[in-house]
Amino acid sequence: MKSILVSGCLLGRPIRYDGRPKLLTHALLEQWQAEGRLVPICPELAGGLPVPRPPAEIANGADGSSVLDGQAAVMEKTGGDVTEAFLDGARKALETARLHGCRFALLTEGSPSCGSEFIHDGRFDGSRHQGSGVTAALLRRHGIQVFSEERIGELAAALHATTSFEGAGPGSATA
């Protein structure tokens, strides 16, 4: 059975920057939780940030890959540089994924850590752009498929395809 790394806030944990959850209510998530597949993490907490904490965004319209490459910073709305905490949290998320054999991740869209398709642009005015957060970018660099909560059906299909493919080896009953 394949494990899935999942943003803890999607499971209802009040750990977002504002101390609230971002609960995802979905039959697939409930099924995977009942099966014991989910490995929850909050990279920002793992990196040592408190709850609540000031909102943070990747500065100057950059993305998580730029942060990983040392070309961008993650800044709080109050002006604090939290880049190292985000990098440390991303490394801990990768370590957790490896420890549990996670080849898939279900992460919170829009987050400077977990966003997989879009993130906020560093102006703290709600503007967004295409790009990944720091954790999502690091996981992808290490071969872990990352999905947003909006793409849970695609994650289910990827899990099924992997499970079906692995069962179709030499001498198996599947063709």
Side-chain angles (χ1 to χ4, degrees), residues 85-143:
F86 275 73
L87 289 168
D88 189 39
R91 289 187 289 265
K92 287 178 179 170
L94 176 60
E95 181 181 311
T96 300
R98 286 178 167 167
L99 178 68
H100 292 277
C102 300
R103 293 172 43 195
F104 303 96
L106 181 66
L107 303 179
T108 304
E109 192 61 84
S111 160
S113 290
C114 297
S116 61
E117 295 179 26
F118 70 85
I119 54 175
H120 293 90
D121 69 3
R123 293 185 288 180
F124 297 96
D125 64 2
S127 299
R128 305 181 305 186
H129 66 93
Q130 285 187 321
S132 295
V134 180
T135 297
L138 185 64
L139 294 174
R140 284 183 171 142
R141 284 188 181 185
H142 289 273

Side-chain angles (χ1 to χ4, degrees), residues 3-8 11 13 36-42 93 96-97 99-102 104 106:
S3 294
I4 305 163
L5 190 72
V6 62
S7 295
L11 299 177
R13 296 180 180 175
R37 287 181 182 244
L38 302 181
V39 178
I41 190 158
C42 174
T96 300
L99 178 68
H100 292 277
C102 300
F104 303 96
L106 181 66

Side-chain angles (χ1 to χ4, degrees), residues 66-88:
S66 296
V67 175
L68 293 173
D69 294 338
Q71 300 169 346
V74 184
M75 302 298 294
E76 293 176 326
K77 187 174 186 175
T78 58
D81 185 334
V82 289
T83 305
E84 286 306 314
F86 275 73
L87 289 168
D88 189 39

